[in-house]
Amino acid sequence: MHRFANPARFTRIADRVLPFVAVATAAALGVGFYMALFVAPPDYQQGESVRIMYVHVPSAWMAMFIYVAIAVASAVALIWRHPLADLAAKASSPIGAGFAFLTLVTGSLWGRPMWGTWWEWDGRLTSMLILFFLYLGHMALMHAFDDQQRGYRAAAILALVGVINIPIIKFSVDWWATLHQPASVFRLDGPTIHPSMLWPLLITAVGFKLYYVTVVLLRIKSELIAARLRALDLARLKAS
Amino acid sequence: MGGYAAFVWPSLGLTLVVMLGLLLSTLRQLRARQRRLAALEAEGATRRPRGGSLAAAAPGDAPTVTRSRENERSEEAAS
Amino acid sequence: MTRKRRRLTIVFTALVVFGAATALVLAALDENLDHFRSPSQLIAEPPAPDRGIRLGGLVEEGSVERAADGLSVTFRITDLAESVPVSYVGILPDLFREGQGVVTTGSMQGDGTFAAREVLAKHDENYMPREVVDALKASGQWRHGEEIPQ
């Protein structure tokens, strides 16, 4: 991984990879959304409202995946002082926050007609809300200090402490009698979702993951340029 | 949409708005920074050859320098 | 605003946000759906009349009766041992149907019926097109409704 430590090399590799990832993202999302809206059958209980699931579930997966990615990057940054790790964490949290937000809102839009409530303080919903707040806190801490390194360190510690929330989200539906239904895809006895609905879901989920790769590469690239600009400004300040 | 149009379309729409918005703001910020860097380079503010590490452009930036030294070390170790 | 003050504000905001998050956790643990009672519990230990409680279980098959006004509905909630009559006025969630798991909030009335203020329907983890369900039912492999929610 340290091979990517050199910013110039990282940018070179990112530039080479980005066109492919971007095209794949567009293709997967295009096919996925089309299938979700027009091909997938209505559910026997939920009717057409099941289509919300195709954006809700991938958003939730991404919100959790990105948080774990940030936690791993934070550990790498704290332990090995890898210079790109902090930037990867910084570049990721707005994307994760966006997906956590989408999870909450689309879940609410499904819950109103199906459960009969926009919101319920149940274990799954509350722990997802906490994840959203963790993202906001992470973003705030990144910018909270004049000394950037201190901000990065504080945010990294928050990310590592908050990672405890991820298993809570995942297992909340098993630990508590939540209103939220148990897992349908990742379960030991196999998915309880019909293939005609599972495929559109998986394709959309792949699209969401590729989207994250695209945007995070662009954002890390952007952060590297920002770091260079800051260094140049500093050098000019010293020279004058 | 079987009576659920008021719930399904906003869900899909909001998802697209958030994803596209984040992508566009990322691109805008990247372009702005690239333009500024290009302008500085044209002015000759970058006295060192391009393609170096961050520290090459920031002789006085202590934390970056420490970090770049670690990069070199690890790169040596890797090769 | 000076930088120091800005930093203080941000750190303070972060603290408030985490305080709020912690409060939410506590609220959730205190008020979560674990706290609903089953019909058996309700009958074994009748609560004080008009005290707000939650009652959860399955909607008994064949018990749903809708009044002519289209809003009032009565049904029975069962845990397959005991059942409690429930009355409710309002729009039911779309997942509400006989055999479905529901959680209601309300209070016991003097006549032994449970007056619900809110009815929430639980969804299970099964996602299937209608035709598949029909096919499963036709071949006798359909097991839905046999599970008793805890």
Side-chain angles (χ1 to χ4, degrees), chain B:
Chain B
M1 276 292 149
Y4 297 116
F7 300 99
V8 173
W9 291 115
S11 296
L12 265 290
L14 188 72
T15 305
L16 284 179
V17 166
V18 168
M19 289 173 84
L20 272 179
L22 202 60
L23 175 68
L24 291 181
S25 82
T26 299
L27 284 175
R28 260 228 317 261
Q29 193 180 43
L30 175 65
R31 296 274 143 75
R33 284 168 173 171
Q34 278 172 332
R35 267 201 302 276
R36 236 199 105 213
L37 185 64
L40 284 177
E41 274 169 352
E43 270 175 43
T46 51
R47 282 170 304 238
R48 309 224 169 182
R50 294 196 54 195
S53 70
L54 294 179
D61 196 345
T64 336
V65 168
T66 345
R67 290 174 140 240
S68 90
R69 223 180 279 139
E70 284 193 19
N71 297 349
E72 282 156 21
R73 239 192 290 135
S74 50
E75 271 178 41
E76 276 161 25
S79 54

Coordinates of all heavy atoms in Angstrom, one line a residue, chain B:
Chain B
M1 N -47.6 3.6 -10.3 CA -46.8 3.2 -9.1 C -47.7 2.6 -8.0 O -47.4 2.7 -6.8 CB -45.9 4.3 -8.6 CG -44.6 4.4 -9.3 SD -43.5 3.0 -9.0 CE -42.6 3.0 -10.5
G2 N -48.9 2.1 -8.4 CA -49.8 1.5 -7.4 C -50.1 2.3 -6.2 O -50.3 1.8 -5.1
G3 N -50.2 3.6 -6.4 CA -50.6 4.5 -5.2 C -49.4 4.9 -4.4 O -49.6 5.7 -3.4
Y4 N -48.2 4.4 -4.7 CA -47.1 4.8 -4.0 C -46.2 5.8 -4.7 O -45.0 6.0 -4.2 CB -46.3 3.5 -3.6 CG -47.0 2.6 -2.7 CD1 -47.4 1.3 -3.2 CD2 -47.5 3.0 -1.5 CE1 -48.1 0.5 -2.4 CE2 -48.2 2.1 -0.7 CZ -48.5 0.9 -1.1 OH -49.2 0.0 -0.3
A5 N -46.7 6.4 -5.7 CA -45.8 7.3 -6.5 C -45.3 8.4 -5.6 O -44.1 8.8 -5.8 CB -46.7 7.9 -7.6
A6 N -46.1 8.9 -4.7 CA -45.6 10.0 -3.8 C -44.5 9.6 -2.9 O -43.8 10.4 -2.3 CB -46.8 10.5 -3.0
F7 N -44.2 8.3 -2.8 CA -43.1 7.8 -1.9 C -42.0 7.3 -2.7 O -40.8 7.5 -2.4 CB -43.6 6.7 -1.0 CG -44.7 7.2 -0.1 CD1 -46.1 6.9 -0.3 CD2 -44.4 7.9 1.1 CE1 -47.1 7.4 0.5 CE2 -45.5 8.4 1.9 CZ -46.8 8.1 1.6
V8 N -42.3 6.6 -3.9 CA -41.2 6.0 -4.7 C -40.4 7.1 -5.4 O -39.2 7.1 -5.3 CB -41.8 5.0 -5.7 CG1 -40.8 4.5 -6.6 CG2 -42.5 3.8 -4.9
W9 N -41.1 8.0 -6.1 CA -40.4 9.0 -7.0 C -39.5 9.9 -6.1 O -38.4 10.1 -6.5 CB -41.4 9.7 -7.9 CG -41.9 8.8 -9.0 CD1 -43.2 8.4 -9.1 CD2 -41.1 8.2 -10.0 NE1 -43.3 7.6 -10.2 CE2 -42.1 7.4 -10.8 CE3 -39.8 8.1 -10.4 CZ2 -41.7 6.6 -11.9 CZ3 -39.4 7.4 -11.5 CH2 -40.4 6.6 -12.2
P10 N -40.0 10.4 -5.0 CA -39.1 11.3 -4.2 C -37.9 10.5 -3.7 O -36.8 11.0 -3.7 CB -40.0 11.7 -3.0 CG -41.4 11.7 -3.5 CD -41.4 10.5 -4.5
S11 N -38.1 9.2 -3.4 CA -36.9 8.4 -2.9 C -35.8 8.3 -4.0 O -34.7 8.6 -3.8 CB -37.3 7.0 -2.6 OG -38.2 7.0 -1.5
L12 N -36.3 8.0 -5.2 CA -35.4 7.8 -6.4 C -34.8 9.2 -6.7 O -33.6 9.3 -6.9 CB -36.1 7.3 -7.6 CG -36.1 5.8 -7.9 CD1 -34.7 5.4 -8.3 CD2 -36.5 5.0 -6.7
G13 N -35.7 10.2 -6.8 CA -35.2 11.6 -7.1 C -34.2 12.1 -6.2 O -33.1 12.6 -6.6
L14 N -34.4 11.9 -4.9 CA -33.5 12.5 -3.9 C -32.2 11.7 -4.0 O -31.1 12.4 -3.9 CB -34.1 12.3 -2.5 CG -33.3 13.0 -1.4 CD1 -33.5 14.5 -1.5 CD2 -33.7 12.5 0.0
T15 N -32.2 10.4 -4.2 CA -31.0 9.7 -4.3 C -30.2 10.2 -5.5 O -28.9 10.5 -5.4 CB -31.3 8.2 -4.6 OG1 -32.1 7.7 -3.5 CG2 -30.0 7.4 -4.6
L16 N -30.8 10.5 -6.6 CA -30.1 11.0 -7.8 C -29.5 12.4 -7.5 O -28.4 12.7 -7.8 CB -31.0 11.1 -9.0 CG -31.3 9.7 -9.7 CD1 -32.2 9.9 -10.9 CD2 -30.0 9.1 -10.1
V17 N -30.4 13.2 -6.8 CA -29.9 14.6 -6.5 C -28.7 14.6 -5.6 O -27.7 15.2 -5.9 CB -31.1 15.4 -5.9 CG1 -30.5 16.7 -5.2 CG2 -32.1 15.7 -6.9
V18 N -28.7 13.8 -4.6 CA -27.6 13.7 -3.6 C -26.3 13.2 -4.4 O -25.2 13.7 -4.2 CB -27.9 12.9 -2.4 CG1 -26.7 12.6 -1.6 CG2 -29.0 13.6 -1.6
M19 N -26.5 12.1 -5.1 CA -25.3 11.5 -5.8 C -24.7 12.4 -6.8 O -23.5 12.6 -6.9 CB -25.7 10.1 -6.4 CG -25.9 9.0 -5.3 SD -26.5 7.5 -5.9 CE -25.0 6.7 -6.4
L20 N -25.6 12.9 -7.7 CA -25.1 13.9 -8.7 C -24.5 15.1 -8.1 O -23.5 15.6 -8.5 CB -26.2 14.2 -9.6 CG -26.4 13.3 -10.8 CD1 -27.6 13.8 -11.7 CD2 -25.2 13.2 -11.7
G21 N -25.2 15.6 -7.1 CA -24.7 16.9 -6.4 C -23.3 16.7 -5.8 O -22.4 17.5 -6.0
L22 N -23.1 15.6 -5.2 CA -21.8 15.3 -4.6 C -20.7 15.2 -5.6 O -19.6 15.7 -5.5 CB -21.9 14.0 -3.7 CG -20.8 13.8 -2.6 CD1 -20.9 15.0 -1.6 CD2 -21.1 12.5 -1.9
L23 N -21.1 14.5 -6.7 CA -20.1 14.3 -7.8 C -19.8 15.7 -8.5 O -18.6 16.0 -8.7 CB -20.7 13.4 -8.9 CG -19.9 13.2 -10.2 CD1 -18.6 12.5 -9.8 CD2 -20.7 12.5 -11.2
L24 N -20.8 16.5 -8.7 CA -20.6 17.8 -9.4 C -19.8 18.7 -8.5 O -18.8 19.4 -8.9 CB -21.9 18.4 -9.8 CG -22.6 17.7 -10.9 CD1 -23.9 18.4 -11.3 CD2 -21.7 17.6 -12.1
S25 N -20.1 18.7 -7.2 CA -19.3 19.6 -6.3 C -17.9 19.1 -6.2 O -17.0 20.0 -6.1 CB -20.0 19.7 -4.9 OG -19.6 18.6 -4.1
T26 N -17.7 17.8 -6.2 CA -16.3 17.3 -6.2 C -15.6 17.8 -7.4 O -14.4 18.2 -7.3 CB -16.3 15.8 -6.1 OG1 -17.0 15.4 -4.9 CG2 -15.0 15.2 -6.1
L27 N -16.2 17.6 -8.6 CA -15.5 18.0 -9.8 C -15.3 19.5 -9.8 O -14.2 19.9 -10.3 CB -16.4 17.6 -11.0 CG -16.4 16.1 -11.4 CD1 -17.4 15.9 -12.5 CD2 -15.0 15.7 -11.8
R28 N -16.2 20.3 -9.4 CA -16.0 21.8 -9.4 C -14.8 22.1 -8.5 O -14.0 22.9 -8.9 CB -17.3 22.5 -8.8 CG -18.2 23.0 -9.9 CD -18.6 24.4 -9.7 NE -19.1 24.8 -8.4 CZ -20.3 24.8 -8.0 NH1 -21.3 24.5 -8.8 NH2 -20.6 25.2 -6.7
Q29 N -14.8 21.5 -7.3 CA -13.7 21.9 -6.4 C -12.3 21.4 -7.0 O -11.3 22.2 -7.0 CB -13.9 21.2 -5.1 CG -13.0 21.6 -4.0 CD -13.3 20.9 -2.7 OE1 -13.5 19.7 -2.7 NE2 -13.3 21.6 -1.6
L30 N -12.3 20.2 -7.6 CA -11.1 19.7 -8.3 C -10.6 20.7 -9.4 O -9.5 21.1 -9.4 CB -11.3 18.3 -8.8 CG -10.2 17.7 -9.6 CD1 -9.0 17.4 -8.7 CD2 -10.6 16.4 -10.2
R31 N -11.6 21.1 -10.2 CA -11.2 22.0 -11.3 C -10.7 23.3 -10.8 O -9.6 23.8 -11.3 CB -12.5 22.3 -12.2 CG -13.0 21.1 -12.9 CD -12.4 20.8 -14.2 NE -12.2 19.4 -14.5 CZ -13.3 18.6 -14.8 NH1 -14.5 19.1 -15.0 NH2 -13.1 17.3 -15.0
A32 N -11.3 23.8 -9.8 CA -10.9 25.1 -9.2 C -9.4 25.0 -8.7 O -8.6 25.9 -9.0 CB -11.8 25.6 -8.1
R33 N -9.2 23.9 -8.0 CA -7.8 23.7 -7.5 C -6.8 23.5 -8.6 O -5.7 24.0 -8.5 CB -7.8 22.5 -6.5 CG -8.5 22.9 -5.2 CD -8.7 21.7 -4.3 NE -9.2 22.0 -3.0 CZ -9.7 21.1 -2.1 NH1 -9.7 19.9 -2.4 NH2 -10.1 21.5 -0.9
Q34 N -7.2 22.7 -9.6 CA -6.3 22.5 -10.7 C -5.9 23.8 -11.4 O -4.8 24.1 -11.7 CB -6.9 21.5 -11.7 CG -6.7 20.1 -11.3 CD -7.5 19.1 -12.2 OE1 -8.5 19.5 -12.7 NE2 -7.1 17.9 -12.3
R35 N -7.0 24.7 -11.6 CA -6.7 26.0 -12.2 C -5.8 26.8 -11.4 O -4.8 27.4 -11.9 CB -8.1 26.7 -12.4 CG -8.7 26.5 -13.7 CD -9.7 27.6 -14.1 NE -10.7 27.7 -13.0 CZ -11.8 26.9 -13.0 NH1 -12.0 26.0 -13.9 NH2 -12.7 27.1 -12.0
R36 N -6.0 26.8 -10.1 CA -5.1 27.6 -9.2 C -3.7 27.1 -9.3 O -2.7 27.9 -9.4 CB -5.6 27.6 -7.8 CG -5.8 29.0 -7.3 CD -5.9 29.1 -5.8 NE -4.7 29.7 -5.2 CZ -4.2 29.3 -4.1 NH1 -4.7 28.4 -3.4 NH2 -3.0 29.9 -3.6
L37 N -3.5 25.8 -9.3 CA -2.2 25.3 -9.3 C -1.5 25.6 -10.6 O -0.3 26.0 -10.7 CB -2.2 23.8 -9.1 CG -0.9 23.1 -9.0 CD1 -0.1 23.5 -7.8 CD2 -1.0 21.5 -9.0
A38 N -2.3 25.5 -11.7 CA -1.7 25.8 -13.0 C -1.3 27.3 -13.1 O -0.2 27.6 -13.6 CB -2.8 25.5 -14.1
A39 N -2.1 28.2 -12.5 CA -1.8 29.6 -12.5 C -0.5 29.8 -11.7 O 0.4 30.6 -12.2 CB -2.9 30.4 -11.9
L40 N -0.4 29.2 -10.6 CA 0.8 29.3 -9.7 C 2.1 28.8 -10.5 O 3.1 29.4 -10.4 CB 0.7 28.6 -8.4 CG -0.2 29.3 -7.4 CD1 -0.3 28.4 -6.1 CD2 0.4 30.7 -7.0
E41 N 1.9 27.7 -11.2 CA 3.0 27.1 -11.9 C 3.4 28.0 -13.0 O 4.6 28.2 -13.3 CB 2.6 25.7 -12.4 CG 2.9 24.7 -11.4 CD 2.3 23.3 -11.7 OE1 1.6 23.3 -12.7 OE2 2.6 22.4 -11.0
A42 N 2.5 28.7 -13.7 CA 2.8 29.6 -14.8 C 3.5 30.8 -14.2 O 4.4 31.3 -14.9 CB 1.5 30.0 -15.4
E43 N 3.2 31.2 -13.0 CA 3.9 32.3 -12.4 C 5.3 32.0 -12.0 O 6.1 32.8 -11.7 CB 3.2 32.7 -11.1 CG 2.1 33.8 -11.3 CD 1.4 34.0 -9.9 OE1 2.1 34.1 -8.9 OE2 0.2 34.1 -10.0
G44 N 5.6 30.7 -12.0 CA 6.9 30.2 -11.6 C 7.0 30.1 -10.1 O 8.1 30.1 -9.5
A45 N 5.9 29.9 -9.4 CA 6.0 29.8 -8.0 C 6.5 28.5 -7.5 O 7.1 28.3 -6.5 CB 4.6 30.0 -7.4
T46 N 6.4 27.5 -8.4 CA 7.0 26.2 -8.1 C 8.4 26.2 -8.6 O 8.7 26.0 -9.7 CB 6.2 25.1 -8.7 OG1 6.1 25.4 -10.1 CG2 4.8 25.0 -8.2
R47 N 9.3 26.4 -7.6 CA 10.7 26.5 -8.0 C 11.4 25.1 -8.3 O 12.4 25.0 -8.8 CB 11.5 27.2 -7.0 CG 11.3 28.7 -7.0 CD 11.9 29.4 -5.8 NE 11.4 28.8 -4.6 CZ 10.8 29.5 -3.7 NH1 10.6 30.8 -3.9 NH2 10.3 29.0 -2.6
R48 N 10.7 24.1 -7.8 CA 11.3 22.8 -7.9 C 10.7 22.0 -9.1 O 9.5 22.3 -9.5 CB 11.1 22.0 -6.7 CG 11.6 22.8 -5.5 CD 12.3 21.9 -4.5 NE 13.0 22.8 -3.6 CZ 13.8 22.3 -2.6 NH1 14.0 21.0 -2.6 NH2 14.3 23.1 -1.8
P49 N 11.4 21.1 -9.6 CA 10.8 20.3 -10.7 C 9.5 19.6 -10.3 O 9.3 19.3 -9.1 CB 11.9 19.3 -11.1 CG 12.8 19.3 -9.9 CD 12.7 20.7 -9.3
R50 N 8.6 19.4 -11.3 CA 7.3 18.8 -10.9 C 7.5 17.3 -10.7 O 8.6 16.7 -10.9 CB 6.4 18.9 -12.1 CG 6.0 20.4 -12.4 CD 4.8 20.4 -13.3 NE 3.7 19.6 -12.7 CZ 2.7 19.2 -13.4 NH1 2.6 19.5 -14.6 NH2 1.7 18.5 -12.8
G51 N 6.4 16.7 -10.2 CA 6.4 15.3 -10.0 C 7.0 14.8 -8.7 O 7.1 13.6 -8.4
G52 N 7.5 15.7 -7.9 CA 8.1 15.4 -6.6 C 7.0 15.1 -5.6 O 5.9 15.2 -5.9
S53 N 7.4 14.9 -4.4 CA 6.4 14.7 -3.3 C 6.0 16.1 -2.9 O 6.5 17.1 -3.3 CB 7.0 13.9 -2.2 OG 7.9 14.7 -1.5
L54 N 5.0 16.1 -2.0 CA 4.4 17.3 -1.5 C 5.5 18.2 -0.9 O 5.6 19.4 -1.0 CB 3.4 17.0 -0.4 CG 2.1 16.3 -0.8 CD1 1.3 16.1 0.4 CD2 1.4 17.1 -1.8
A55 N 6.4 17.5 -0.2 CA 7.4 18.2 0.6 C 8.4 19.0 -0.3 O 8.9 20.0 0.1 CB 8.2 17.2 1.5
A56 N 8.5 18.5 -1.5 CA 9.4 19.2 -2.4 C 9.1 20.7 -2.6 O 9.9 21.5 -2.7 CB 9.5 18.5 -3.8
A57 N 7.7 20.9 -2.6 CA 7.3 22.3 -2.8 C 7.2 23.1 -1.5 O 6.9 24.2 -1.4 CB 6.0 22.3 -3.5
A58 N 7.4 22.4 -0.4 CA 7.2 23.0 0.9 C 8.4 22.8 1.9 O 8.3 22.0 2.8 CB 5.9 22.4 1.6
P59 N 9.5 23.5 1.6 CA 10.6 23.2 2.4 C 10.4 23.6 3.9 O 11.0 22.9 4.7 CB 11.7 24.2 1.8 CG 11.0 25.0 0.8 CD 9.6 24.5 0.6
G60 N 9.5 24.5 4.2 CA 9.3 24.9 5.6 C 8.2 24.2 6.3 O 8.1 24.4 7.5
D61 N 7.5 23.3 5.6 CA 6.3 22.7 6.3 C 6.7 21.5 7.0 O 6.9 20.4 6.5 CB 5.3 22.3 5.2 CG 4.0 22.1 5.8 OD1 3.9 21.9 7.0 OD2 3.0 22.0 5.0
A62 N 6.9 21.7 8.3 CA 7.5 20.6 9.1 C 6.8 19.2 9.1 O 7.5 18.2 8.8 CB 7.7 21.1 10.6
P63 N 5.5 19.2 9.3 CA 4.9 17.9 9.4 C 5.0 17.1 8.0 O 5.2 15.9 8.0 CB 3.4 18.2 9.7 CG 3.2 19.6 9.7 CD 4.6 20.3 9.7
T64 N 4.8 17.9 6.9 CA 4.9 17.3 5.6 C 6.3 16.7 5.4 O 6.4 15.6 4.8 CB 4.6 18.3 4.5 OG1 3.8 19.3 5.1 CG2 3.9 17.6 3.4
V65 N 7.3 17.4 5.9 CA 8.7 17.0 5.6 C 8.9 15.6 6.3 O 9.4 14.7 5.8 CB 9.7 18.0 6.1 CG1 11.1 17.4 6.1 CG2 9.6 19.2 5.2
T66 N 8.5 15.6 7.6 CA 8.6 14.3 8.4 C 8.0 13.2 7.6 O 8.5 12.1 7.5 CB 8.0 14.4 9.7 OG1 7.7 15.8 10.0 CG2 8.8 13.8 10.8
R67 N 6.8 13.5 7.1 CA 6.0 12.5 6.5 C 6.7 12.0 5.2 O 6.8 10.8 5.0 CB 4.6 13.0 6.1 CG 3.9 13.2 7.4 CD 2.6 13.8 7.1 NE 1.6 13.2 8.0 CZ 0.6 12.5 7.6 NH1 0.3 12.4 6.3 NH2 -0.2 11.9 8.4
S68 N 7.2 12.9 4.5 CA 7.8 12.5 3.2 C 9.0 11.7 3.4 O 9.4 10.8 2.7 CB 8.2 13.8 2.4 OG 9.5 14.2 2.7
R69 N 9.7 12.0 4.5 CA 10.9 11.2 4.8 C 10.5 9.7 5.1 O 11.1 8.8 4.7 CB 11.6 11.7 6.1 CG 13.1 11.7 5.9 CD 13.8 12.3 7.2 NE 13.7 13.7 7.2 CZ 13.5 14.4 8.4 NH1 13.2 13.7 9.5 NH2 13.5 15.7 8.4
E70 N 9.3 9.6 5.7 CA 8.8 8.2 6.0 C 8.5 7.5 4.7 O 8.7 6.4 4.5 CB 7.6 8.3 6.9 CG 8.0 8.5 8.3 CD 6.9 8.2 9.3 OE1 6.0 7.5 8.9 OE2 7.0 8.7 10.4
N71 N 7.9 8.3 3.7 CA 7.6 7.8 2.4 C 8.8 7.2 1.8 O 8.8 6.1 1.3 CB 7.1 8.8 1.5 CG 5.9 9.5 1.9 OD1 5.3 9.0 2.9 ND2 5.5 10.5 1.3
E72 N 9.9 8.0 1.8 CA 11.1 7.5 1.2 C 11.6 6.2 1.8 O 11.9 5.3 1.1 CB 12.2 8.6 1.3 CG 12.0 9.7 0.3 CD 12.6 11.0 0.7 OE1 13.6 11.0 1.5 OE2 12.2 12.1 0.3
R73 N 11.5 6.2 3.1 CA 12.0 5.0 3.8 C 11.1 3.8 3.4 O 11.7 2.8 3.0 CB 11.9 5.2 5.3 CG 13.2 5.1 6.0 CD 13.0 5.0 7.5 NE 12.6 6.2 8.1 CZ 11.6 6.3 8.9 NH1 10.9 5.2 9.3 NH2 11.3 7.5 9.4
S74 N 9.8 4.0 3.4 CA 9.0 2.9 3.1 C 9.1 2.5 1.6 O 9.0 1.3 1.3 CB 7.5 3.2 3.4 OG 7.2 4.4 2.9
E75 N 9.3 3.5 0.8 CA 9.5 3.1 -0.6 C 10.8 2.3 -0.8 O 10.8 1.4 -1.6 CB 9.6 4.4 -1.5 CG 8.2 4.9 -1.9 CD 8.2 6.1 -2.7 OE1 9.1 6.2 -3.5 OE2 7.4 7.0 -2.5
E76 N 11.8 2.7 -0.1 CA 13.0 1.9 -0.2 C 12.7 0.5 0.3 O 13.2 -0.5 -0.3 CB 14.1 2.5 0.7 CG 14.9 3.6 0.0 CD 15.6 4.5 1.0 OE1 15.9 4.0 2.1 OE2 15.8 5.7 0.7
A77 N 12.0 0.4 1.4 CA 11.7 -0.9 1.9 C 10.9 -1.7 0.9 O 11.1 -2.9 0.8 CB 10.9 -0.8 3.2
A78 N 10.1 -1.1 0.2 CA 9.2 -1.8 -0.7 C 10.0 -2.3 -1.9 O 9.7 -3.4 -2.4 CB 8.1 -0.9 -1.2
S79 N 11.0 -1.5 -2.3 CA 11.7 -1.9 -3.5 C 12.7 -2.9 -3.3 O 13.1 -3.2 -2.2 CB 12.3 -0.7 -4.2 OG 13.1 0.0 -3.3

